Amino acid sequence: MLTLTANAAQAIRDLTAAAPEPTQSGIRISSQGEGASSLTLSLATAPEPADEVVESEGARVYLDPVAATVLEDKSLDAGADDQGSVSFLVTEQSA
């Protein structure tokens, strides 16, 4: 299952804090085709019926079935650039 780093969890909490339903809001990773290169990330107020839900430190990530398979053994990290823009990075899970 996808894991979240502390940085990713904090970034997701920050992004969803102003959402209309912050208790259910998260980010949704969905597929636009096959493979990791076709994944998109968006804010979501709740999971879709078939989504897998990953929750860590109060942050929620909703994965559609293809994204859940592609990211099964991965970790989601986040960082910010000098202007404060957040970017997410998928990495291999550490042992």
Side-chain angles (χ1 to χ4, degrees), residues 32-68:
Q32 303 300 315
E34 296 295 322
S37 63
S38 65
L39 297 177
T40 60
L41 186 143
S42 59
L43 288 174
T45 55
E48 296 292 324
D51 284 355
E52 180 177 307
V53 178
V54 176
E55 200 162 349
S56 176
E57 300 177 32
R60 283 165 298 287
V61 178
Y62 307 128
L63 303 168
D64 80 2
V66 172

Side-chain angles (χ1 to χ4, degrees), residues 10-89:
Q10 182 62 54
I12 294 166
R13 286 193 307 271
D14 290 348
L15 287 170
T16 58
E21 292 291 331
T23 58
Q24 289 297 310
S25 294
I27 61 168
R28 184 164 194 267
I29 302 175
S30 56
S31 60
Q32 303 300 315
E34 296 295 322
S37 63
S38 65
L39 297 177
T40 60
L41 186 143
S42 59
L43 288 174
T45 55
E48 296 292 324
D51 284 355
E52 180 177 307
V53 178
V54 176
E55 200 162 349
S56 176
E57 300 177 32
R60 283 165 298 287
V61 178
Y62 307 128
L63 303 168
D64 80 2
V66 172
T69 300
V70 170
L71 299 174
E72 184 174 16
D73 60 347
K74 304 292 188 235
S75 184
L76 186 66
D77 195 7
D81 64 18
D82 293 338
Q83 288 77 39
S85 296
V86 175
S87 61
F88 289 94
L89 176 67

